[in-house]
Amino acid sequence: QQHNNTNNNNNNNNKVPAAATLASQILSEDSTFRDAEFQSMLGGLCSSLHRTIRRGLVSILDLDVLCQVVSVLREERSVANKSPTTMAAARAVSGVIQDAQERLIFCANTALHKEVVRFKPTPADLNYPGKFLGEKPKAAIVIEDDKRDSKEPSSTEERKEEVNDPSATSDPNDAVAAQLRVYESWFPPMRSVLRILSKIFRVVEPRVFEDIALQSVQSCTKSLKEGSIYILRASGQIHADLFLVKHLLILREQLSPFDIQLRSVERQLDFSEAGKAVSRFLANRNRRLFSMSTENALITLLREGVSVQESSVDSKRDLEDCLRSACNDFIEHTSSSLLGPIAIFVDQCKNAVGSGSGSTDVLIKAPFMNAVLVKGVFSKALENLEGALENVSKQMHLYLENTATQSILMKPVVRKMTRSLEEARRFVGEVPDGANNWEEGAKEEVLKLSEAFETKVKSTTSKHGTR
């Protein structure tokens, strides 16, 4: 037995140098595989692994899972690229990353098309200003994407679900709960756009992300405009204007960290001249079909019949234009609302002067320029001013939390009202004494009412602006 053990030990000792010799043949001095057949075998194994993982990726619908897959595989690829021994694995991981990104892009576009492009708002989605006041029903907060199958619920059904965790909103002083309430008050299409873009920003190629962002911002802006029209009918002009201003400001602010241009050039084939080009082609009996020159009839037909039309798309510029237009609408509507009958009086005076080719004769004799009526207009406007200013201030505080933004919006409103009051005083001053019941002292009374109106506007707006 001792003899047999000695023989076994000798055999094992003989195998060790043989294995070392084999390893030295496979491994080079820097410990990298240099055997071509071994590398080929690794490549085959990694290709099989890639195909197996690809079949699993196709069934994933959750954006969060796909983003995590891409992030983890990127780290694995960076490690695999550091050593030549794992280059085959690195190539396979790169293929899996591309497949995961393609699946992610598809799922993101599908979600954006469903939740933004084809979005059909419910009354709860457009319950403004009810959302800020805590009125029921509230739209649900959708933060995480659920795994969906062919029986997945519609986006409307999802928005009707209630928040399951009551503790999330039980403490009014909780910063997280407050942030969730703010997030809940956003219009659902804008929530979806910002949520999806924030998820895919780091895991897809920059050009792909910018293209998705460009299209989603266009669709979101369109949906916001449509929503403001519904709110105009349901709640009034000031709510529609502030709804649009608020959401466009949020959209612009939330897009700024992405640092993207949102520009593209769209090219389309124009076949408007194709019919005439075909007619000329058929009418030309000396056409050269096989000529190897620019006189070839087929080349001429294509050149004349088909043209490429280019158009530049700049979603960031369109967003700024839409925001500027919304602010201008708010300024126009709010100033007219605060002026009340004075705005109507100024418009009547302008129309009268315009119909008289610049002459004030028509204005002086106009029924609305009667001294008693004009005094009544300014008295009524001054009487209603305080309540109107309080309402505007209340609604602005409701929609716009930042007092600086409120001040920026109110300054042009005050300037526009001041210009209208100056025009009204100028029109009144053009009426001679004694005409149209303008007795002595009537103008002074109207001017005092106008100055009191202007003083109250400036003092009230400055007081609200410093809150």
Side-chain angles (χ1 to χ4, degrees):
Q1 184 176 2
Q2 184 177 0
H3 179 70
N4 291 334
N5 291 336
T6 303
N7 291 335
N8 290 334
N9 291 333
N10 292 333
N11 292 334
N12 290 334
N13 292 332
N14 292 333
K15 289 179 179 179
V16 171
T21 303
L22 180 61
S24 64
Q25 293 176 356
I26 297 176
L27 296 174
S28 60
E29 294 180 356
D30 58 350
S31 301
T32 59
F33 291 100
R34 58 183 177 84
D35 189 287
E37 295 181 0
F38 191 81
Q39 287 289 337
S40 177
M41 182 190 69
L42 284 179
L45 290 174
C46 292
S47 297
S48 299
L49 178 64
H50 179 196
R51 289 193 295 270
T52 303
I53 296 177
R54 177 187 290 176
R55 288 194 291 269
L57 288 175
V58 174
S59 61
I60 298 178
L61 296 172
D62 195 326
L63 291 178
D64 289 326
V65 173
L66 290 169
C67 292
Q68 292 174 3
V69 168
V70 175
S71 300
V72 171
L73 289 180
R74 280 178 171 176
E75 296 180 1
E76 296 295 332
R77 182 179 60 181
S78 63
V79 174
N81 281 328
K82 293 179 180 179
S83 174
T85 59
T86 53
M87 289 302 295
R91 289 192 294 269
V93 171
S94 296
V96 176
I97 291 175
Q98 292 178 0
D99 294 336
Q101 287 176 330
E102 290 177 1
R103 181 64 182 172
L104 177 61
I105 293 168
F106 171 78
C107 292
N109 281 324
T110 302
L112 288 170
H113 185 72
K114 175 183 177 182
E115 300 175 18
V116 181
V117 178
R118 298 180 59 188
F119 175 76
K120 300 297 182 183
T122 64
D125 297 324
L126 294 167
N127 185 26
Y128 292 92
K131 284 188 177 183
F132 305 124
L133 301 173
E135 296 179 1
K136 299 291 184 178
K138 288 186 177 181
I141 303 175
V142 181
I143 299 178
E144 300 294 335
D145 288 335
D146 297 328
K147 294 182 180 179
R148 300 181 175 89
D149 52 16
S150 59
K151 296 182 180 180
E152 61 179 348
S154 64
S155 58
T156 303
E157 293 174 349
E158 290 174 351
R159 295 193 302 274
K160 290 180 180 179
E161 295 178 357
E162 296 181 351
V163 181
N164 294 326
D165 187 6
S167 63
T169 56
S170 60
D171 185 7
N173 297 322
D174 189 357
V176 176
Q179 187 61 34
L180 287 177
R181 286 194 295 271
V182 172
Y183 179 79
E184 183 184 2
S185 67
W186 292 356
F187 196 44
M190 191 181 75
R191 283 207 312 254
S192 299
V193 167
L194 296 176
R195 172 173 53 85
I196 293 173
L197 291 182
S198 63
K199 289 182 178 181
I200 69 174
F201 176 52
R202 299 293 183 183
V203 292
V204 298
E205 298 300 324
R207 291 184 179 179
V208 176
F209 175 81
E210 187 163 349
D211 184 65
I212 295 175
L214 185 146
Q215 297 178 16
S216 60
V217 169
Q218 286 180 328
S219 301
C220 181
T221 304
K222 179 181 177 182
S223 183
L224 288 172
K225 290 181 179 179
E226 294 173 352
S228 68
I229 296 175
Y230 176 91
I231 295 173
L232 172 63
R233 296 195 295 265
S235 302
Q237 185 68 63
I238 189 171
H239 295 286
D241 292 338
L242 288 174
F243 164 82
L244 194 56
V245 171
K246 173 186 176 68
H247 283 84
L248 290 175
L249 284 172
I250 295 174
L251 184 60
R252 184 182 67 173
E253 179 185 1
Q254 296 293 323
L255 288 175
S256 58
F258 295 132
D259 192 22
I260 50 180
Q261 297 299 322
L262 296 178
R263 296 174 185 170
S264 68
V265 178
E266 296 182 352
R267 296 178 176 86
Q268 296 179 341
L269 294 178
D270 184 10
F271 294 94
S272 59
E273 299 295 329
K276 296 179 181 179
V278 171
S279 299
R280 289 193 295 268
F281 174 79
L282 296 176
N284 185 10
R285 298 187 177 183
N286 296 326
R287 54 182 177 268
R288 302 175 182 179
L289 297 177
F290 303 102
S291 175
M292 303 299 292
S293 66
T294 56
E295 299 298 328
N296 186 292
L298 293 176
I299 296 177
T300 304
L301 174 63
L302 292 174
R303 186 173 62 248
E304 296 178 354
V306 182
S307 61
V308 179
Q309 301 291 335
E310 294 186 354
S311 59
S312 177
V313 178
D314 191 338
S315 291
K316 184 175 290 188
R317 181 193 60 197
D318 295 341
L319 178 61
E320 292 291 341
D321 292 343
C322 185
L323 177 58
R324 188 181 301 107
S325 176
C327 292
N328 290 335
D329 289 341
F330 171 79
I331 294 168
E332 179 68 28
H333 297 148
T334 303
S335 60
S336 298
S337 175
L338 292 175
L339 286 169
I342 297 179
I344 300 175
F345 170 73
V346 172
D347 290 338
Q348 290 176 333
C349 292
K350 290 180 179 179
N351 293 333
V353 173
S355 63
S357 300
S359 176
T360 58
D361 294 339
V362 178
L363 175 65
I364 295 172
K365 299 177 182 179
F368 60 82
M369 188 53 79
N370 185 280
V372 178
L373 295 178
V374 173
K375 183 179 178 180
V377 164
F378 280 85
S379 299
K380 183 179 180 181
L382 182 59
E383 179 182 351
N384 298 333
L385 178 61
E386 185 174 358
L389 283 172
E390 287 293 335
N391 180 59
V392 171
S393 177
K394 177 182 176 181
Q395 302 307 331
M396 291 186 71
H397 280 284
L398 195 61
Y399 282 87
L400 306 172
E401 297 85 0
N402 194 336
T403 55
T405 304
Q406 300 174 25
S407 177
I408 291 172
L409 275 177
M410 280 303 297
K411 284 180 180 179
V413 172
V414 174
R415 287 197 297 267
K416 186 172 180 61
M417 294 175 66
T418 302
R419 288 196 298 268
S420 297
L421 291 172
E422 291 175 353
E423 290 178 340
R425 289 193 289 263
R426 178 171 59 83
F427 287 130
V428 170
E430 292 178 353
V431 180
D433 294 337
N436 215 339
N437 291 332
W438 284 95
E439 304 298 337
E440 184 178 357
K443 289 185 180 181
E444 285 73 11
E445 293 182 11
V446 172
L447 292 177
K448 288 180 180 180
L449 291 172
S450 174
E451 292 173 357
F453 187 97
E454 183 176 353
T455 302
K456 191 171 188 61
V457 168
K458 292 181 179 180
S459 61
T460 305
T461 53
S462 62
K463 179 178 66 175
H464 288 307
T466 56
R467 282 183 178 180

